[in-house]
Amino acid sequence: MVMHRIIITCAAILATVNILFSQAPEKMSYQAIVRNGSGDLVVSTKIGMKISIRQGSETGTAVYAETQTPITNVNGLVSLEIGSGTVVSGNFSAINWANGPFYIHTETDLKGGSNYTISGTSQLLSVPYALHAKTTDSGYRHYIGELFGGGIVVAVWKENGIEKGLIASLTDVSASAQYSSVADKLIGTQAQSPNDGQTNTTAIVAQGDVSGAAYLCKNYSGGGFKDWYLPSAWELSQCFNSALVINTVLGPANGFKFASYWSSSEVNYFNSVSFHFNLGFMNSNTKINDFRVRAVRRF
């Protein structure tokens, strides 16, 4: 176990922070002694915290962020595990620890809410071996049919040696929905990608969709995640390719149905791509058709 002791001084709080790197590869232990602006210990109190992992510099991009509401003990000590909170953005297990430096940025609300008025940033001068090693391992950690990331894995691959994957929701988001509630207007190239469903979905909703397949996926929050989207044509084909495994794991009630599903890939003013799971091919259908909807997200 590696320990760093860091003193962070902020306008309204003085905290002595111990960052303890546990051997478990998916979490990072964090401890802090919390004092208020008068220097008094904040004891036996529920506080609100937002923890971000920033890459490159103290003000760099937050590659991961989560919130927690820990309770300080009688000595003003708060203990939590980064990686086990409510995810705001990013994926803790997908951080490439070899591509540092990294910084922990904390924001605190002493009243236990999300009105964060106190903040501090400290550099991680070393990264736990278990975290670093998993990003350079030549093997795969995840597999098709694994229950992970709020859903079930339907595809895995590597980009520059880093494992990536596609996750489908555990159930259909809808049994019957139009492509979009705006069915007779062209969105354009920003919604016509065959492989980037997230960009497509953003464009569809931005056009004014308030009840269609894209809207339903964007507002889905299965597993506590908020980055779900309507899969592109090629992403939906990955769902079809893994359907046998997925349905074996989830069963007929929650698995993919022998029916047509909407993708987010627009074709023209009136048509978009659907995938017929009963026939095994893509087709162009009018946006007003009612098809099934399954949400996906990536890790």
Side-chain angles (χ1 to χ4, degrees), residues 242-292:
S242 63
L244 175 61
V245 175
I246 303 309
N247 285 28
T248 300
V249 175
L250 297 181
N254 296 323
F256 289 102
K257 300 301 186 289
F258 206 55
S260 296
Y261 284 81
W262 274 125
S263 85
S264 60
S265 302
E266 182 187 59
V267 176
N268 52 39
Y269 283 87
F270 302 105
N271 297 283
S272 294
V273 176
S274 62
F275 199 105
H276 299 261
F277 277 52
N278 51 338
L279 300 175
F281 65 82
M282 298 179 193
N283 198 11
S284 175
N285 287 100
T286 57
K287 296 177 180 178
I288 61 173
N289 278 332
D290 289 321
F291 292 148
R292 302 192 74 90

Side-chain angles (χ1 to χ4, degrees), residues 177-182 204 209-217 230 262 293:
Q178 294 184 179
Y179 171 80
S180 169
S181 58
V182 182
I204 297 166
D209 180 21
V210 295
S211 62
Y215 176 87
L216 294 173
C217 290
L230 183 64
W262 274 125
V293 181

Side-chain angles (χ1 to χ4, degrees), residues 71-95:
I71 299 176
T72 61
N73 67 12
V74 294
N75 298 310
L77 178 70
V78 62
S79 301
L80 53 86
E81 289 186 314
I82 302 174
S84 62
T86 300
V87 177
V88 176
S89 63
N91 186 333
F92 188 77
S93 66
I95 297 174

Side-chain angles (χ1 to χ4, degrees), residues 1-186:
M1 179 178 291
V2 181
M3 181 175 76
H4 297 279
R5 182 175 293 276
I6 306 166
I7 307 296
I8 300 176
T9 304
C10 303
I13 186 172
L14 177 64
T16 301
V17 180
N18 295 308
I19 301 172
L20 305 177
F21 295 142
S22 65
Q23 297 304 309
E26 300 298 334
K27 298 177 182 178
M28 182 184 298
S29 295
Y30 177 97
Q31 293 181 321
I33 293 179
V34 183
R35 299 178 184 270
N36 62 23
S38 300
D40 300 321
L41 292 172
V42 179
V43 301
S44 303
T45 301
K46 180 180 178 180
I47 63 174
M49 295 187 71
K50 180 179 179 181
I51 307 101
S52 304
I53 305 295
R54 293 185 172 180
Q55 185 175 18
S57 70
E58 292 186 4
T59 58
T61 300
V63 295
Y64 176 78
E66 67 175 32
T67 58
Q68 297 201 34
T69 53
I71 299 176
T72 61
N73 67 12
V74 294
N75 298 310
L77 178 70
V78 62
S79 301
L80 53 86
E81 289 186 314
I82 302 174
S84 62
T86 300
V87 177
V88 176
S89 63
N91 186 333
F92 188 77
S93 66
I95 297 174
N96 180 6
W97 296 101
N99 192 21
F102 289 93
Y103 298 76
I104 290 183
H105 178 73
T106 59
E107 299 170 84
T108 306
D109 179 357
L110 295 183
K111 295 183 178 180
S114 57
N115 183 26
Y116 306 117
T117 58
I118 302 167
S119 64
T121 305
S122 56
Q123 183 177 0
L124 293 175
L125 297 180
S126 68
V127 174
Y129 174 78
L131 287 173
H132 185 277
K134 80 181 184 68
T135 65
T136 58
D137 187 0
S138 60
Y140 284 89
R141 299 180 60 251
H142 299 288
Y143 56 90
I144 294 174
E146 178 188 9
L147 299 176
F148 173 72
I152 187 165
V153 178
V154 297
V156 292
W157 66 92
K158 286 193 174 183
E159 297 177 16
N160 299 319
I162 305 302
E163 187 173 358
K164 303 290 184 179
L166 184 68
I167 300 170
S169 56
L170 292 175
T171 61
D172 286 347
V173 174
S174 175
S176 180
Q178 294 184 179
Y179 171 80
S180 169
S181 58
V182 182
D184 59 352
K185 294 182 180 179
L186 180 70

